[in-house]
Amino acid sequence: MERDSFYNNEHQNDLQPYKPIQEQTFFERFSFKSLTFKTTVVQFIIFFLTIFHTIYLIEKYLVNDGDESDIYSFKCVLYTWGSKHTPSIIYRYQFWRLVCPIFLHGSFSHIIGNMVVQIYYGFILELTHGWKRVSILYIVGGIGASLFSCVRFHYETSVGASGSIFALLALELIYFITTFPGIEPKRIVVLILLAPMIFLSFIDSPPQVDIAGHLGGLVVGLLIGIGYAFADAQSNIKQQCQYIFYGLVGLLFIYIFTILYQTKLEDEKICQGMNII
């Protein structure tokens, strides 16, 4: 099957430094065909839809009918669209709440900050690893972030693609280690500049930041990234080692689910009685 020309420079089966055929820019080899661009567009569309949904509900029920309840807040709209909420996942089996938060954001600054990093690393990682690997890492990393958040924040709702983005950063770190010193200088500089910000996000972050979600995405990203590195090894024995790390991700998810179902959580129901249209 003929491959898309966007991936002509991709070395999917061995991790070699990417050598562009044209001048590099910050958003390297921007392409409307890339999965990163399409995902980002979808996330922006969903963000504005949730904003419009909130405005519609406020005008219809709070302004016209004089309803003073808070069930038509932006938080409840995000809950309707699938924000992470542990009791809803555990007691009502709404497992889509492990994935949907990836595509939801709580503010304009939230989505802008996430998308800048996502676009930069999404493009270059698609070129060096292929869109299939990146998409698997992105989704599984987001699920891992939601599960870690469920363990740490039992009753708070959370949204955002930060966990998936931390998984991308973990993959970039593994790529950096396995190809150094052959990696492009620009990528080294960006990673060094981001390192203090990543560190501070864990030790000195605002209360509304879901640190557990960031950690979950980072851990899952490291495990899958190491698996990818073994998959690209020359030795058949080393290639088989990739399944060990994929298996560790599965075992980690099972372990977290076991913890959640053994924890005596109250079946908290939020945004009850909300009309969504």
Side-chain angles (χ1 to χ4, degrees):
M1 181 181 295
E2 183 178 357
R3 296 176 64 82
D4 195 313
S5 59
F6 175 69
Y7 299 107
N8 281 345
N9 288 320
E10 172 197 339
H11 302 280
Q12 187 163 353
N13 293 323
D14 73 276
L15 287 177
Q16 298 295 328
Y18 166 64
K19 297 180 180 179
I21 59 176
Q22 63 184 39
E23 183 180 356
Q24 297 183 32
T25 60
F26 182 77
F27 296 118
E28 186 173 327
R29 292 295 306 277
F30 175 88
S31 173
F32 294 111
K33 296 180 180 180
S34 71
L35 179 68
T36 297
F37 175 77
K38 295 173 184 177
T39 303
T40 302
V41 169
V42 169
Q43 287 165 317
F44 269 108
I45 291 173
I46 292 176
F47 173 72
F48 286 112
L49 286 176
T50 56
I51 294 291
F52 295 146
H53 191 182
T54 304
I55 295 173
Y56 167 78
L57 293 176
I58 290 175
E59 290 181 347
K60 181 175 182 179
Y61 294 104
L62 270 64
V63 177
N64 297 335
D65 298 342
D67 189 340
E68 297 182 355
S69 67
D70 63 351
I71 61 174
Y72 300 110
S73 64
F74 189 44
K75 173 185 175 181
C76 283
V77 169
L78 291 175
Y79 176 80
T80 302
W81 282 70
S83 64
K84 184 234 80 185
H85 183 243
T86 308
S88 297
I89 296 171
I90 299 302
Y91 293 109
R92 289 179 285 284
Y93 309 109
Q94 297 176 0
F95 297 114
W96 60 85
R97 295 188 182 277
L98 297 173
V99 179
C100 288
I102 301 172
F103 302 95
L104 301 171
H105 289 83
S107 67
F108 190 70
S109 61
H110 186 201
I111 190 171
I112 289 295
N114 278 350
M115 294 304 101
V116 169
V117 180
Q118 174 173 297
I119 289 173
Y120 175 74
Y121 278 110
F123 285 144
I124 60 177
L125 287 172
E126 279 190 62
L127 289 167
T128 52
H129 293 272
W131 70 268
K132 290 182 180 179
R133 282 186 172 185
V134 172
S135 61
I136 292 172
L137 177 97
Y138 189 82
I139 296 298
V140 178
I143 294 173
S146 295
L147 286 173
F148 270 61
S149 179
C150 285
V151 174
R152 176 63 180 85
F153 302 104
H154 292 154
Y155 301 107
E156 294 86 347
T157 59
S158 61
V159 295
S162 300
S164 294
I165 293 170
F166 268 83
L168 294 179
L169 292 173
L171 181 59
E172 175 71 358
L173 178 61
I174 298 299
Y175 180 79
F176 175 86
I177 294 172
T178 56
T179 60
F180 186 83
I183 193 170
E184 308 93 289
K186 180 186 68 174
R187 291 173 75 164
I188 298 175
V189 172
V190 174
L191 194 61
I192 291 174
L193 291 176
L194 280 176
M197 299 172 59
I198 296 171
F199 179 73
L200 290 175
S201 71
F202 285 106
I203 66 172
D204 188 25
S205 58
Q208 67 270 22
V209 174
D210 190 345
I211 301 176
H214 294 176
L215 180 62
L218 186 65
V219 170
V220 172
L222 286 173
L223 291 174
I224 295 179
I226 295 172
Y228 288 168
F230 275 110
D232 294 318
Q234 299 298 322
S235 169
N236 289 331
I237 297 177
K238 289 184 178 180
Q239 289 179 4
Q240 298 305 313
C241 291
Q242 64 176 304
Y243 300 108
I244 296 175
F245 292 92
Y246 303 154
L248 287 175
V249 174
L251 290 175
L252 179 62
F253 285 3
I254 294 173
Y255 177 67
I256 292 175
F257 270 113
T258 302
I259 292 176
L260 290 174
Y261 277 102
Q262 289 181 345
T263 304
K264 302 299 180 181
L265 300 178
E266 295 181 10
D267 185 10
E268 180 191 50
K269 298 179 180 179
I270 63 175
C271 304
Q272 294 297 301
M274 177 182 179
N275 295 309
I276 63 173
I277 58 173

